[in-house]
Amino acid sequence: MAGTSSPVEVSTRLQRVAELSKKSPSMVWTTLSHHIDLELLKESYRLTRKDGAIGVDGQTAKEYAENLTENLESLLRRFKSGAYKAPPVRRVYIPKGTGSEKRPIGIPTFEDKILQRAVVMVLNAVYEQDFLNCSYGFRPFRSAHQALKQIRDDMWKMNGAFVLDIDIQKFFDTLDHQRLRKILDKRVRDGVIRRAVDKWLKAGIMENGSLERSIAGTPQGGVVSPLLSNIFLHDVLDKWFYEVVKPRLSGIATLVRFADDFVLAFAEERDANRVMAVLHKRFEKFGLKLHPKKTRQVVFKHPKWTGYRRRDLEVGCASTFDLLGFTHFGGKTRSGGKWTIKRKTAKKKLNLALKRVRTWCKRNRHLPIQEQHRALRLKLLGHYQYYGIVGNSRAINAFYHEVRRTWQKWLDRRSNRRNLSWDCFELLLRKYPLPTPRIVHRVL
C-alpha cells in the first residue's frame, strides 16, 4: 500500500517507550497517545485480519480499504479529540465443549479493531516490560506450546507435583471495571488512551437487535480484551504469587498462566493445601470467583514418591489435569519403562474438533470435491500444527481416521443413490490425498 511506513519505523518508535518502561518500572506514563499517529494506524491496519467476522455496522475490510487514508485520518481525529464513539460488539456464540453449553464472543467493527490494535501496540511497549515469565497468553513471541513445555519441565524437576487446576468462573464476563482502572492507574494515565479504554469497556453488546450496556467484563473476541485481562491478572495473581506467596513456601512451586487459564504446581503437598486455602479469598477481593466444581487439587506424582496408591487416593482427588487442550497424565517410557509426564489431546477438545468437521462435511457435501478437499486439508494441517506434539500420535491418528470416515460418509450421501463405497473412496483419495498425521513439535 502506497505511503505506508515500514513496520521497522513504527517498531523503533515503540522500542524507545519499551526501553524507558524497563528502565523505570515504577514510572507512570501520562503522555502516550502522541505515538498513535497516521503511520501507526496504517501499520495497525496492515496487521488486522481482513477476513474476520464483521461487526454491527456490517462494514467489511474491503469496503473500508476503498477510502483507506481518509478513513484512517478521520479515525485519528476522532480518537484524539474524544469524539470517537466505541460501537457495541456483535455477540455470537461458539460451542464451548461437547455439550450444549456455548461461549459468548464479541465481534467489534473493522474500524474498531484497527484502533484497538493501535492502542494495544502502544500499551504492549509498556506492559511487556512488567509482565512475568509465567505469563504466556496473547503476548509477542510467546505461545501455548511454550507454556506446555514450561509446566512439564517444572513438574519434571519436582519428580511430579501437587497441582492446583484453577478455573475462574466467567472471568471475561465479570472482570471488575473499577478495579481494572485502579490497576491501570499504576502505570498509564494518558487521558486520550484511558478514555478510549473506558469507552470500549462500556460500549455494550448488540444481540438480536437489542443493546445491552456493560457494567462489568470485557468481551472475548475484542483486540484489546486479552491485554486488559493480562494486565489485571498480572497484578491479581502473577505478582502476588511470586512476591508474596512463593517466599513463604517450604518447597519448590511454579505458576504457568495463559490468559485466564492457569495451573499452580508444588513439590510439597502442604504448600498446595495452604495456597488453595487462600486462593478463593484472593480472587474474591478483586470481584472474581473460582468455579466450585472445576477448581481442584491433583496429585500428579508417581506413587513411590508420595506413598499414595491410586486406589487409596481420596475421593475427588484426580491424577490428571487438562491445560491448553491437552490432558497431562503419568505414564511409562517406551524404552526402560520409567515413569514420565505425558500429554494427549483432551477428550472434550478432540470431540469438539470432530463435531465441527462432521457439521462442516454435512453442510458442504454438495460443494465440488476440490473445494472440500482444500478445506479439509487445511483443517487437518491446523490440527497437527497445534496437537502434533511428542507422545500424542494416537490422538492425532484417531482424528485423521475419523475425518476420513466422516468425509466418505457425507460424500456417499450427496444423492439418494449412495454409491460411494470405501473402494471408490480410496481411489478418490489417491487423487485428493488428505495429509497424514505428523509430529510438529518434538522439543515439548
Side-chain angles (χ1 to χ4, degrees):
M1 182 177 64
T4 302
S5 61
S6 71
V8 175
E9 294 174 11
V10 174
S11 177
T12 300
R13 290 191 288 130
L14 296 180
Q15 183 61 33
R16 290 195 289 269
V17 176
E19 290 171 355
L20 286 172
S21 298
K22 186 174 183 179
K23 184 178 180 180
S24 305
S26 60
M27 180 177 67
V28 179
W29 286 89
T30 57
T31 55
L32 279 173
S33 59
H34 62 281
H35 291 287
I36 300 178
D37 53 17
L38 187 59
E39 286 69 30
L40 186 68
L41 287 181
K42 288 180 178 179
E43 177 63 10
S44 177
Y45 166 81
R46 186 185 71 83
L47 296 173
T48 301
R49 281 185 57 185
K50 310 302 187 293
D51 59 347
I54 60 175
V56 294
D57 62 355
Q59 188 177 45
T60 65
K62 183 179 180 180
E63 293 169 346
Y64 194 85
E66 291 175 357
N67 297 291
L68 181 61
T69 302
E70 294 83 353
N71 287 334
L72 293 181
E73 288 174 346
S74 171
L75 176 61
L76 182 62
R77 284 195 301 269
R78 286 176 282 136
F79 168 67
K80 291 294 182 70
S81 67
Y84 180 76
K85 295 182 179 179
V89 297
R90 180 172 66 88
R91 172 162 284 177
V92 297
Y93 293 89
I94 61 173
K96 192 173 182 180
T98 56
S100 59
E101 190 177 2
K102 292 187 176 182
R103 185 190 306 275
I105 298 292
I107 308 297
T109 64
F110 183 75
E111 182 176 68
D112 207 35
K113 292 177 185 177
I114 295 174
L115 184 56
Q116 286 190 31
R117 188 171 299 281
V119 170
V120 166
M121 291 167 69
V122 174
L123 292 180
N124 263 339
V126 176
Y127 283 102
E128 274 299 312
Q129 318 315 312
D130 299 342
F131 290 156
L132 303 182
N133 288 332
C134 62
S135 170
Y136 290 88
F138 305 102
R139 294 182 57 190
F141 311 111
R142 289 187 158 239
S143 68
H145 291 108
Q146 291 174 334
L148 291 166
K149 183 178 186 302
Q150 187 64 55
I151 191 64
R152 184 184 188 277
D153 291 347
D154 289 347
M155 290 195 302
W156 184 257
K157 293 174 184 176
M158 303 178 202
N159 292 329
F162 297 92
V163 177
L164 301 186
D165 185 8
I166 308 298
D167 184 274
I168 305 176
Q169 192 169 11
K170 296 182 178 180
F171 171 73
F172 285 95
D173 296 331
T174 60
L175 190 148
D176 187 277
H177 291 174
Q178 191 60 35
R179 289 181 173 92
L180 174 61
R181 292 186 186 101
K182 290 181 179 179
I183 292 173
L184 288 170
D185 283 342
K186 298 177 182 179
R187 203 66 161 118
V188 175
R189 295 182 186 173
D190 180 283
V192 178
I193 288 179
R194 291 294 300 276
R195 182 170 55 207
V197 171
D198 275 347
K199 289 180 179 180
W200 286 321
L201 290 175
K202 295 186 283 188
I205 298 165
M206 184 70 73
E207 184 176 6
N208 297 325
S210 62
L211 177 62
E212 177 186 341
R213 290 296 178 185
S214 302
I215 58 174
T218 173
Q220 287 180 271
V223 179
V224 75
S225 295
L227 176 60
L228 295 179
S229 68
N230 273 335
I231 293 171
F232 194 81
L233 288 176
H234 167 74
D235 208 76
V236 173
L237 177 65
D238 302 354
K239 284 180 63 180
W240 171 74
F241 179 76
Y242 280 99
E243 294 178 5
V244 178
V245 175
K246 196 171 181 181
R248 292 171 168 81
L249 302 180
S250 58
I252 304 172
T254 189
L255 161 68
V256 172
R257 181 176 66 81
F258 192 97
D260 64 325
D261 194 4
F262 68 95
V263 295
L264 297 155
F266 304 85
E268 301 291 338
E269 185 179 18
R270 60 179 176 273
D271 289 338
N273 292 335
R274 290 173 61 195
V275 174
M276 178 64 99
V278 299
L279 268 180
H280 288 273
K281 293 181 180 179
R282 175 66 181 178
F283 281 96
E284 286 176 359
K285 180 181 178 181
F286 292 89
L288 299 173
K289 292 184 178 180
L290 300 185
H291 198 291
K293 294 182 179 179
K294 296 181 181 178
T295 297
R296 62 199 184 119
Q297 185 168 338
V298 178
V299 180
F300 198 88
K301 284 275 194 178
H302 192 291
K304 74 176 183 179
W305 288 320
T306 64
Y308 288 106
R309 294 184 183 275
R310 186 162 297 181
R311 63 176 179 270
D312 295 330
L313 291 175
E314 294 181 6
V315 175
C317 191
S319 58
T320 68
F321 68 93
D322 289 354
L323 178 66
L324 299 175
F326 289 89
T327 296
H328 294 64
F329 63 101
K332 293 182 178 180
T333 60
R334 288 186 177 181
S335 57
K338 296 181 179 179
W339 187 86
T340 188
I341 300 169
K342 293 189 173 185
R343 284 83 52 88
K344 63 181 179 181
T345 308
K347 184 177 180 180
K348 66 178 183 179
K349 294 296 183 182
L350 179 59
N351 290 338
L352 180 58
L354 290 173
K355 181 180 178 180
R356 288 173 175 167
V357 170
R358 293 175 188 129
T359 301
W360 188 92
C361 287
K362 179 180 180 180
R363 290 177 177 174
N364 297 278
R365 63 186 183 274
H366 297 297
L367 289 178
I369 299 296
Q370 296 92 329
E371 293 185 28
Q372 293 190 47
H373 172 257
R374 188 183 304 113
L376 289 174
R377 181 177 179 276
L378 291 176
K379 291 179 188 296
L380 282 166
L381 290 175
H383 191 85
Y384 302 156
Q385 184 64 36
Y386 186 76
Y387 290 104
I389 68 172
V390 173
N392 197 34
S393 298
R394 180 177 296 179
I396 60 176
N397 268 289
F399 182 76
Y400 165 73
H401 287 292
E402 186 60 24
V403 169
R404 277 169 43 107
R405 192 195 69 81
T406 300
W407 195 24
Q408 185 275 335
K409 171 184 175 180
W410 289 109
L411 286 179
D412 188 37
R413 299 185 182 188
R414 280 158 67 99
S415 68
N416 293 329
R417 298 176 63 183
R418 302 191 64 171
N419 57 0
L420 184 65
S421 65
W422 265 104
D423 290 337
C424 293
F425 182 64
E426 291 289 350
L427 292 175
L428 183 142
L429 286 178
R430 293 181 185 179
K431 186 175 181 180
Y432 300 105
L434 294 175
T436 54
R438 63 190 183 97
I439 299 300
V440 178
H441 308 279
R442 297 189 175 276
V443 295
L444 296 178

